Amino acid sequence: MSAGRLKKNGLSIAMLLCVGLLLAGCSGSKSSDTGSYSGSVYTVKRGDTLYRISRATGTSVKEIARLNNISPPYTIEVGQKLKVSGGAKTSSGSGKTTKKSSTKTAAVRPSSSVPQSSWPPVGQRCWLWPASGKVILPYSTADGGNKGIDISAARGTPIYAAGAGKVVYVGNQLRGYGNLIMIKHSEDYITAYAHNDTMLVNNGQNVKAGQKIATMGSTDATTVRLHFQIRYRATAIDPLRYLPPQGSKPKC
């Protein structure tokens, strides 16, 4: 293999690792932070969401919510025992999966690495709504809660860049996000756009605020939606705090 190809592969791996660190909402390598799944019961670990539990157990998000009487925004707590319908391996056969998850998140900064009191002031940057539609899942500060907002609309609804920047990731290697686009706006800010149907930009491309970058879809999601995140110094902050009222332009 040539030196150029080795260098290119190394950069690709490094980029994937960076993306994983930016989007992960959990931390800690202690075994006590690792969830367990046995039979029809799943014990929630730090950083879990219903989407992640759905993938681990083979039970749909809708079914988990129904079995446990959980309503949107689907808040769950560490140590909570959830009923699942099964479909995945039991804890005795999932040791490798647990170990892999623990190793992957050991160096990840938690979503509370920048406390809410130190979030940037409103108006520091001008953000545009990434899509038109209904917010069906708001941001949550709870462990395992939604670290962005989910916007629902018809399949094919345009998705726009919330601000000017450079595309740093286009792909679907991160399970749970489907077709994903990430845009770097500065050393402090990155936005993420998940579950897209079609993606209209490429890695390394510069985009303008309001430029169409994708269309809404349901890749790795139960329904058609856009999962949108604003990351400030790798910490997920509440987009609704910084976006203008829907249908209006920012005043900053």
Side-chain angles (χ1 to χ4, degrees):
M1 184 179 291
S2 66
R5 181 175 295 181
L6 282 172
K7 182 177 180 181
K8 182 178 180 181
N9 289 344
L11 289 173
S12 297
I13 293 172
M15 176 60 72
L16 287 177
L17 288 174
C18 289
V19 172
L21 292 179
L22 287 167
L23 288 179
C26 56
S27 69
S29 58
K30 296 181 181 180
S31 59
S32 59
D33 285 341
T34 301
S36 60
Y37 170 46
S38 179
S40 60
V41 176
Y42 183 95
T43 303
V44 178
K45 71 177 184 299
R46 184 174 298 278
D48 267 338
T49 64
L50 288 196
Y51 296 106
R52 183 175 296 176
I53 296 170
S54 173
R55 296 196 304 271
T57 64
T59 306
S60 70
V61 171
K62 184 177 180 180
E63 181 67 5
I64 296 174
R66 184 189 69 80
L67 289 171
N68 297 277
N69 296 318
I70 301 174
S71 302
Y74 303 127
T75 300
I76 53 179
E77 299 179 355
V78 175
Q80 182 178 352
K81 296 186 183 299
L82 299 177
K83 297 176 183 177
V84 293
S85 62
K89 295 180 181 179
T90 62
S91 58
S92 60
S94 59
K96 291 184 179 179
T97 301
T98 300
K99 182 178 180 180
K100 181 178 180 181
S101 176
S102 176
T103 301
K104 178 180 177 182
T105 60
V108 177
R109 284 198 289 172
S111 60
S112 58
S113 57
V114 177
Q116 193 165 350
S117 59
S118 298
W119 285 7
V122 175
Q124 185 183 76
R125 292 188 66 93
C126 292
W127 297 108
L128 302 176
W129 273 85
S132 298
K134 180 180 180 181
V135 176
I136 56 173
L137 267 183
Y139 176 91
S140 172
T141 57
D143 286 331
N146 198 35
K147 298 311 174 190
I149 57 173
D150 285 26
I151 303 170
S152 175
R155 186 179 301 278
T157 296
I159 295 173
Y160 305 100
K166 183 176 182 179
V167 178
V168 293
Y169 181 83
V170 177
N172 56 11
Q173 291 88 350
L174 291 175
R175 294 186 61 189
Y177 293 94
N179 291 332
L180 172 68
I181 294 172
M182 296 182 68
I183 299 174
K184 184 176 182 180
H185 305 278
S186 68
E187 290 304 315
D188 288 336
Y189 289 97
I190 284 181
T191 54
Y193 313 75
H195 308 309
N196 306 311
D197 188 13
T198 57
M199 298 194 286
L200 307 175
V201 292
N202 301 309
N203 278 315
Q205 180 177 339
N206 291 317
V207 295
K208 299 178 181 179
Q211 180 177 333
K212 185 177 178 180
I213 59 173
T215 61
M216 195 176 297
S218 58
T219 52
D220 224 349
T222 55
T223 59
V224 177
R225 67 181 64 201
L226 167 67
H227 175 71
F228 173 67
Q229 291 187 9
I230 297 177
R231 290 262 164 180
Y232 174 70
R233 298 178 182 174
T235 294
I237 58 180
D238 185 0
L240 292 180
R241 182 173 179 175
Y242 299 95
L243 292 170
Q246 274 192 304
S248 64
K249 295 182 178 180
K251 296 180 180 180
C252 53

